[in-house]
mmCIF file of all heavy atoms in Angstrom:
data_model
loop_
_atom_site.group_PDB
_atom_site.id
_atom_site.type_symbol
_atom_site.label_atom_id
_atom_site.label_comp_id
_atom_site.label_asym_id
_atom_site.label_seq_id
_atom_site.Cartn_x
_atom_site.Cartn_y
_atom_site.Cartn_z
ATOM 1 N N THR J 1 -14.248 -7.687 -19.436
ATOM 2 C CA THR J 1 -12.884 -8.297 -19.480
ATOM 3 C C THR J 1 -12.273 -8.332 -18.109
ATOM 4 O O THR J 1 -11.111 -8.263 -17.921
ATOM 5 C CB THR J 1 -11.979 -7.464 -20.448
ATOM 6 O OG1 THR J 1 -12.730 -7.103 -21.645
ATOM 7 C CG2 THR J 1 -10.723 -8.208 -20.847
ATOM 8 N N VAL J 2 -13.170 -8.425 -17.101
ATOM 9 C CA VAL J 2 -12.706 -8.418 -15.694
ATOM 10 C C VAL J 2 -11.765 -9.507 -15.387
ATOM 11 O O VAL J 2 -10.962 -9.395 -14.377
ATOM 12 C CB VAL J 2 -13.952 -8.405 -14.748
ATOM 13 C CG1 VAL J 2 -14.671 -9.756 -14.790
ATOM 14 C CG2 VAL J 2 -13.636 -8.004 -13.334
ATOM 15 N N ASN J 3 -11.778 -10.624 -16.101
ATOM 16 C CA ASN J 3 -10.863 -11.701 -15.841
ATOM 17 C C ASN J 3 -9.399 -11.210 -15.927
ATOM 18 O O ASN J 3 -8.489 -11.760 -15.273
ATOM 19 C CB ASN J 3 -11.060 -12.855 -16.770
ATOM 20 C CG ASN J 3 -12.244 -13.698 -16.431
ATOM 21 O OD1 ASN J 3 -12.909 -13.511 -15.337
ATOM 22 N ND2 ASN J 3 -12.661 -14.643 -17.317
ATOM 23 N N VAL J 4 -9.189 -10.295 -16.832
ATOM 24 C CA VAL J 4 -7.847 -9.757 -16.958
ATOM 25 C C VAL J 4 -7.593 -8.576 -15.960
ATOM 26 O O VAL J 4 -6.504 -8.538 -15.376
ATOM 27 C CB VAL J 4 -7.669 -9.186 -18.410
ATOM 28 C CG1 VAL J 4 -6.282 -8.502 -18.566
ATOM 29 C CG2 VAL J 4 -7.748 -10.386 -19.397
ATOM 30 N N TYR J 5 -8.540 -7.722 -15.788
ATOM 31 C CA TYR J 5 -8.323 -6.470 -15.080
ATOM 32 C C TYR J 5 -8.495 -6.583 -13.584
ATOM 33 O O TYR J 5 -7.996 -5.770 -12.854
ATOM 34 C CB TYR J 5 -9.230 -5.407 -15.677
ATOM 35 C CG TYR J 5 -8.876 -5.029 -17.086
ATOM 36 C CD1 TYR J 5 -9.942 -4.871 -18.006
ATOM 37 C CD2 TYR J 5 -7.601 -4.843 -17.553
ATOM 38 C CE1 TYR J 5 -9.677 -4.533 -19.391
ATOM 39 C CE2 TYR J 5 -7.325 -4.564 -18.847
ATOM 40 C CZ TYR J 5 -8.372 -4.383 -19.756
ATOM 41 O OH TYR J 5 -8.059 -4.069 -21.070
ATOM 42 N N GLY J 6 -9.321 -7.523 -13.142
ATOM 43 C CA GLY J 6 -9.692 -7.585 -11.704
ATOM 44 C C GLY J 6 -10.680 -6.512 -11.299
ATOM 45 O O GLY J 6 -11.174 -5.776 -12.128
ATOM 46 N N THR J 7 -10.958 -6.432 -9.997
ATOM 47 C CA THR J 7 -11.982 -5.550 -9.578
ATOM 48 C C THR J 7 -11.581 -4.545 -8.476
ATOM 49 O O THR J 7 -10.565 -4.797 -7.786
ATOM 50 C CB THR J 7 -13.147 -6.359 -8.971
ATOM 51 O OG1 THR J 7 -12.693 -7.202 -7.904
ATOM 52 C CG2 THR J 7 -13.855 -7.210 -10.034
ATOM 53 N N ASP J 8 -12.256 -3.488 -8.380
ATOM 54 C CA ASP J 8 -12.024 -2.449 -7.374
ATOM 55 C C ASP J 8 -12.615 -2.948 -6.020
ATOM 56 O O ASP J 8 -13.823 -3.267 -5.983
ATOM 57 C CB ASP J 8 -12.723 -1.156 -7.731
ATOM 58 C CG ASP J 8 -12.687 -0.066 -6.730
ATOM 59 O OD1 ASP J 8 -11.746 -0.152 -5.912
ATOM 60 O OD2 ASP J 8 -13.538 0.822 -6.725
ATOM 61 N N PRO J 9 -11.816 -3.018 -4.979
ATOM 62 C CA PRO J 9 -12.351 -3.544 -3.776
ATOM 63 C C PRO J 9 -13.467 -2.735 -3.165
ATOM 64 O O PRO J 9 -14.310 -3.263 -2.353
ATOM 65 C CB PRO J 9 -11.114 -3.655 -2.823
ATOM 66 C CG PRO J 9 -10.176 -2.642 -3.438
ATOM 67 C CD PRO J 9 -10.414 -2.692 -4.909
ATOM 68 N N ALA J 10 -13.513 -1.481 -3.443
ATOM 69 C CA ALA J 10 -14.541 -0.602 -2.839
ATOM 70 C C ALA J 10 -15.862 -0.720 -3.513
ATOM 71 O O ALA J 10 -16.884 -0.644 -2.880
ATOM 72 C CB ALA J 10 -14.071 0.825 -2.899
ATOM 73 N N THR J 11 -15.884 -0.941 -4.884
ATOM 74 C CA THR J 11 -17.112 -0.904 -5.593
ATOM 75 C C THR J 11 -17.490 -2.259 -6.233
ATOM 76 O O THR J 11 -18.600 -2.439 -6.651
ATOM 77 C CB THR J 11 -17.051 0.164 -6.708
ATOM 78 O OG1 THR J 11 -16.087 -0.213 -7.679
ATOM 79 C CG2 THR J 11 -16.722 1.553 -6.112
ATOM 80 N N GLY J 12 -16.503 -3.150 -6.421
ATOM 81 C CA GLY J 12 -16.722 -4.331 -7.178
ATOM 82 C C GLY J 12 -16.670 -4.190 -8.657
ATOM 83 O O GLY J 12 -16.754 -5.120 -9.449
ATOM 84 N N ALA J 13 -16.514 -2.937 -9.131
ATOM 85 C CA ALA J 13 -16.403 -2.664 -10.556
ATOM 86 C C ALA J 13 -15.005 -3.092 -11.053
ATOM 87 O O ALA J 13 -14.036 -3.134 -10.310
ATOM 88 C CB ALA J 13 -16.644 -1.183 -10.815
ATOM 89 N N ALA J 14 -14.955 -3.390 -12.394
ATOM 90 C CA ALA J 14 -13.663 -3.694 -12.968
ATOM 91 C C ALA J 14 -12.690 -2.488 -12.859
ATOM 92 O O ALA J 14 -13.075 -1.353 -13.009
ATOM 93 C CB ALA J 14 -13.817 -4.099 -14.413
ATOM 94 N N LEU J 15 -11.451 -2.859 -12.626
ATOM 95 C CA LEU J 15 -10.383 -1.867 -12.717
ATOM 96 C C LEU J 15 -10.208 -1.465 -14.166
ATOM 97 O O LEU J 15 -10.522 -2.221 -15.080
ATOM 98 C CB LEU J 15 -9.097 -2.441 -12.173
ATOM 99 C CG LEU J 15 -9.126 -2.855 -10.683
ATOM 100 C CD1 LEU J 15 -7.831 -3.614 -10.261
ATOM 101 C CD2 LEU J 15 -9.404 -1.695 -9.721
ATOM 102 N N ARG J 16 -9.677 -0.229 -14.350
ATOM 103 C CA ARG J 16 -9.679 0.332 -15.684
ATOM 104 C C ARG J 16 -8.261 0.842 -16.078
ATOM 105 O O ARG J 16 -7.679 1.628 -15.357
ATOM 106 C CB ARG J 16 -10.633 1.511 -15.835
ATOM 107 C CG ARG J 16 -12.093 1.195 -15.552
ATOM 108 C CD ARG J 16 -12.996 2.417 -15.675
ATOM 109 N NE ARG J 16 -12.562 3.539 -14.824
ATOM 110 C CZ ARG J 16 -13.145 4.683 -14.819
ATOM 111 N NH1 ARG J 16 -14.144 4.919 -15.623
ATOM 112 N NH2 ARG J 16 -12.669 5.642 -13.983
ATOM 113 N N PRO J 17 -7.820 0.512 -17.259
ATOM 114 C CA PRO J 17 -6.668 1.216 -17.860
ATOM 115 C C PRO J 17 -7.156 2.460 -18.647
ATOM 116 O O PRO J 17 -7.179 2.496 -19.860
ATOM 117 C CB PRO J 17 -6.027 0.120 -18.788
ATOM 118 C CG PRO J 17 -7.251 -0.652 -19.208
ATOM 119 C CD PRO J 17 -8.187 -0.619 -18.089
ATOM 120 N N LEU J 18 -7.616 3.470 -17.896
ATOM 121 C CA LEU J 18 -8.237 4.700 -18.484
ATOM 122 C C LEU J 18 -7.790 5.859 -17.735
ATOM 123 O O LEU J 18 -7.843 5.888 -16.532
ATOM 124 C CB LEU J 18 -9.766 4.505 -18.439
ATOM 125 C CG LEU J 18 -10.557 5.563 -19.157
ATOM 126 C CD1 LEU J 18 -10.415 5.387 -20.663
ATOM 127 C CD2 LEU J 18 -12.053 5.466 -18.779
ATOM 128 N N ASP J 19 -7.295 6.880 -18.452
ATOM 129 C CA ASP J 19 -6.652 7.966 -17.792
ATOM 130 C C ASP J 19 -6.641 9.240 -18.655
ATOM 131 O O ASP J 19 -6.515 9.175 -19.849
ATOM 132 C CB ASP J 19 -5.161 7.605 -17.515
ATOM 133 C CG ASP J 19 -4.456 8.423 -16.453
ATOM 134 O OD1 ASP J 19 -4.216 9.639 -16.750
ATOM 135 O OD2 ASP J 19 -4.219 7.972 -15.378
ATOM 136 N N ASN J 20 -6.837 10.430 -17.981
ATOM 137 C CA ASN J 20 -6.562 11.680 -18.669
ATOM 138 C C ASN J 20 -5.855 12.650 -17.805
ATOM 139 O O ASN J 20 -5.874 13.879 -18.011
ATOM 140 C CB ASN J 20 -7.809 12.284 -19.306
ATOM 141 C CG ASN J 20 -8.806 12.789 -18.167
ATOM 142 O OD1 ASN J 20 -8.704 12.415 -16.985
ATOM 143 N ND2 ASN J 20 -9.734 13.648 -18.611
ATOM 144 N N THR J 21 -5.196 12.107 -16.749
ATOM 145 C CA THR J 21 -4.456 12.970 -15.802
ATOM 146 C C THR J 21 -3.223 13.538 -16.521
ATOM 147 O O THR J 21 -2.478 12.809 -17.187
ATOM 148 C CB THR J 21 -3.983 12.144 -14.603
ATOM 149 O OG1 THR J 21 -5.094 11.500 -14.019
ATOM 150 C CG2 THR J 21 -3.334 13.014 -13.551
ATOM 151 N N GLY J 22 -3.046 14.888 -16.398
ATOM 152 C CA GLY J 22 -1.896 15.472 -17.016
ATOM 153 C C GLY J 22 -2.078 15.920 -18.454
ATOM 154 O O GLY J 22 -1.237 16.564 -19.075
ATOM 155 N N VAL J 23 -3.267 15.505 -19.051
ATOM 156 C CA VAL J 23 -3.481 15.796 -20.499
ATOM 157 C C VAL J 23 -3.874 17.269 -20.659
ATOM 158 O O VAL J 23 -4.837 17.780 -20.015
ATOM 159 C CB VAL J 23 -4.580 14.924 -21.072
ATOM 160 C CG1 VAL J 23 -4.907 15.343 -22.499
ATOM 161 C CG2 VAL J 23 -4.141 13.460 -21.028
ATOM 162 N N GLN J 24 -3.135 18.032 -21.441
ATOM 163 C CA GLN J 24 -3.442 19.457 -21.711
ATOM 164 C C GLN J 24 -4.298 19.528 -22.961
ATOM 165 O O GLN J 24 -3.761 19.753 -24.046
ATOM 166 C CB GLN J 24 -2.119 20.193 -21.881
ATOM 167 C CG GLN J 24 -1.253 20.199 -20.672
ATOM 168 C CD GLN J 24 -0.008 21.142 -20.835
ATOM 169 O OE1 GLN J 24 -0.080 22.326 -20.601
ATOM 170 N NE2 GLN J 24 1.110 20.463 -21.279
ATOM 171 N N TYR J 25 -5.620 19.475 -22.772
ATOM 172 C CA TYR J 25 -6.534 19.567 -23.820
ATOM 173 C C TYR J 25 -6.358 20.932 -24.578
ATOM 174 O O TYR J 25 -6.265 21.938 -23.974
ATOM 175 C CB TYR J 25 -7.954 19.403 -23.410
ATOM 176 C CG TYR J 25 -8.265 18.007 -22.930
ATOM 177 C CD1 TYR J 25 -8.463 17.701 -21.585
ATOM 178 C CD2 TYR J 25 -8.281 16.951 -23.791
ATOM 179 C CE1 TYR J 25 -8.793 16.400 -21.148
ATOM 180 C CE2 TYR J 25 -8.646 15.673 -23.412
ATOM 181 C CZ TYR J 25 -8.808 15.426 -22.073
ATOM 182 O OH TYR J 25 -9.090 14.113 -21.682
ATOM 183 N N GLY J 26 -6.342 20.801 -25.944
ATOM 184 C CA GLY J 26 -6.212 22.021 -26.768
ATOM 185 C C GLY J 26 -4.859 22.649 -26.842
ATOM 186 O O GLY J 26 -4.719 23.819 -27.245
ATOM 187 N N LEU J 27 -3.833 21.912 -26.408
ATOM 188 C CA LEU J 27 -2.460 22.525 -26.396
ATOM 189 C C LEU J 27 -2.050 22.926 -27.788
ATOM 190 O O LEU J 27 -1.520 24.044 -27.985
ATOM 191 C CB LEU J 27 -1.462 21.481 -25.870
ATOM 192 C CG LEU J 27 -0.001 21.905 -25.879
ATOM 193 C CD1 LEU J 27 0.194 23.171 -25.006
ATOM 194 C CD2 LEU J 27 0.925 20.767 -25.421
ATOM 195 N N GLY J 28 -2.299 22.094 -28.813
ATOM 196 C CA GLY J 28 -1.931 22.492 -30.173
ATOM 197 C C GLY J 28 -2.713 23.667 -30.636
ATOM 198 O O GLY J 28 -2.195 24.543 -31.336
ATOM 199 N N ALA J 29 -3.998 23.739 -30.254
ATOM 200 C CA ALA J 29 -4.807 24.860 -30.693
ATOM 201 C C ALA J 29 -4.428 26.186 -29.955
ATOM 202 O O ALA J 29 -4.497 27.266 -30.576
ATOM 203 C CB ALA J 29 -6.317 24.611 -30.329
ATOM 204 N N LEU J 30 -3.882 26.080 -28.756
ATOM 205 C CA LEU J 30 -3.334 27.241 -28.110
ATOM 206 C C LEU J 30 -2.062 27.712 -28.828
ATOM 207 O O LEU J 30 -1.872 28.874 -29.077
ATOM 208 C CB LEU J 30 -2.993 26.880 -26.666
ATOM 209 C CG LEU J 30 -2.185 27.890 -25.844
ATOM 210 C CD1 LEU J 30 -3.064 29.089 -25.560
ATOM 211 C CD2 LEU J 30 -1.588 27.320 -24.573
ATOM 212 N N ASN J 31 -1.178 26.742 -29.124
ATOM 213 C CA ASN J 31 0.122 27.143 -29.695
ATOM 214 C C ASN J 31 0.010 27.666 -31.075
ATOM 215 O O ASN J 31 0.835 28.440 -31.540
ATOM 216 C CB ASN J 31 1.066 25.918 -29.644
ATOM 217 C CG ASN J 31 1.628 25.633 -28.286
ATOM 218 O OD1 ASN J 31 1.698 26.581 -27.413
ATOM 219 N ND2 ASN J 31 1.991 24.430 -28.020
ATOM 220 N N ASP J 32 -1.024 27.323 -31.800
ATOM 221 C CA ASP J 32 -1.210 27.820 -33.143
ATOM 222 C C ASP J 32 -2.121 29.030 -33.235
ATOM 223 O O ASP J 32 -2.455 29.588 -34.267
ATOM 224 C CB ASP J 32 -1.629 26.725 -34.172
ATOM 225 C CG ASP J 32 -3.095 26.293 -33.937
ATOM 226 O OD1 ASP J 32 -3.906 26.941 -33.174
ATOM 227 O OD2 ASP J 32 -3.424 25.168 -34.488
ATOM 228 N N GLY J 33 -2.595 29.437 -32.046
ATOM 229 C CA GLY J 33 -3.370 30.667 -31.914
ATOM 230 C C GLY J 33 -4.861 30.607 -32.159
ATOM 231 O O GLY J 33 -5.602 31.561 -32.272
ATOM 232 N N THR J 34 -5.347 29.335 -32.322
ATOM 233 C CA THR J 34 -6.771 29.094 -32.522
ATOM 234 C C THR J 34 -7.628 29.437 -31.248
ATOM 235 O O THR J 34 -8.720 29.993 -31.352
ATOM 236 C CB THR J 34 -7.060 27.702 -32.988
ATOM 237 O OG1 THR J 34 -6.306 27.429 -34.156
ATOM 238 C CG2 THR J 34 -8.554 27.537 -33.343
ATOM 239 N N ILE J 35 -7.103 29.118 -30.132
ATOM 240 C CA ILE J 35 -7.774 29.524 -28.862
ATOM 241 C C ILE J 35 -6.776 30.361 -28.069
ATOM 242 O O ILE J 35 -5.553 30.312 -28.306
ATOM 243 C CB ILE J 35 -8.204 28.265 -28.043
ATOM 244 C CG1 ILE J 35 -6.978 27.456 -27.584
ATOM 245 C CG2 ILE J 35 -9.186 27.435 -28.811
ATOM 246 C CD1 ILE J 35 -7.405 26.296 -26.605
ATOM 247 N N ASP J 36 -7.309 31.125 -27.111
ATOM 248 C CA ASP J 36 -6.411 31.970 -26.308
ATOM 249 C C ASP J 36 -6.098 31.393 -24.953
ATOM 250 O O ASP J 36 -6.614 30.306 -24.617
ATOM 251 C CB ASP J 36 -7.024 33.404 -26.135
ATOM 252 C CG ASP J 36 -8.357 33.414 -25.441
ATOM 253 O OD1 ASP J 36 -8.592 32.554 -24.555
ATOM 254 O OD2 ASP J 36 -9.200 34.244 -25.706
ATOM 255 N N LYS J 37 -5.286 32.049 -24.182
ATOM 256 C CA LYS J 37 -4.845 31.535 -22.926
ATOM 257 C C LYS J 37 -5.978 31.325 -21.951
ATOM 258 O O LYS J 37 -6.015 30.297 -21.259
ATOM 259 C CB LYS J 37 -3.777 32.472 -22.313
ATOM 260 C CG LYS J 37 -2.533 32.549 -23.046
ATOM 261 C CD LYS J 37 -1.468 33.427 -22.349
ATOM 262 C CE LYS J 37 -1.895 34.870 -22.335
ATOM 263 N NZ LYS J 37 -0.902 35.752 -21.687
ATOM 264 N N ARG J 38 -6.905 32.268 -21.914
ATOM 265 C CA ARG J 38 -8.058 32.090 -20.942
ATOM 266 C C ARG J 38 -8.871 30.885 -21.298
ATOM 267 O O ARG J 38 -9.281 30.139 -20.390
ATOM 268 C CB ARG J 38 -8.910 33.402 -20.965
ATOM 269 C CG ARG J 38 -10.134 33.375 -20.129
ATOM 270 C CD ARG J 38 -9.989 32.783 -18.720
ATOM 271 N NE ARG J 38 -8.829 33.279 -18.018
ATOM 272 C CZ ARG J 38 -8.285 32.661 -16.938
ATOM 273 N NH1 ARG J 38 -8.846 31.476 -16.533
ATOM 274 N NH2 ARG J 38 -7.278 33.132 -16.346
#
């Protein structure tokens, strides 16, 4: 779908609307006690 997204000038690969920055994996499991802090 590169016609919509365009390309990365460094690699030529398509740019991506893909992200997991800031995502706290397992937050719900921590808060309900299924996993511990460590």
Side-chain angles (χ1 to χ4, degrees):
T1 316
V2 70
N3 284 352
V4 174
Y5 295 135
T7 56
D8 174 25
T11 66
L15 299 173
R16 301 180 303 178
L18 189 68
D19 196 291
N20 69 340
T21 306
V23 175
Q24 298 185 83
Y25 290 111
L27 178 61
L30 170 72
N31 284 336
D32 67 17
T34 303
I35 64 173
D36 62 31
K37 292 185 292 180
R38 176 43 48 198

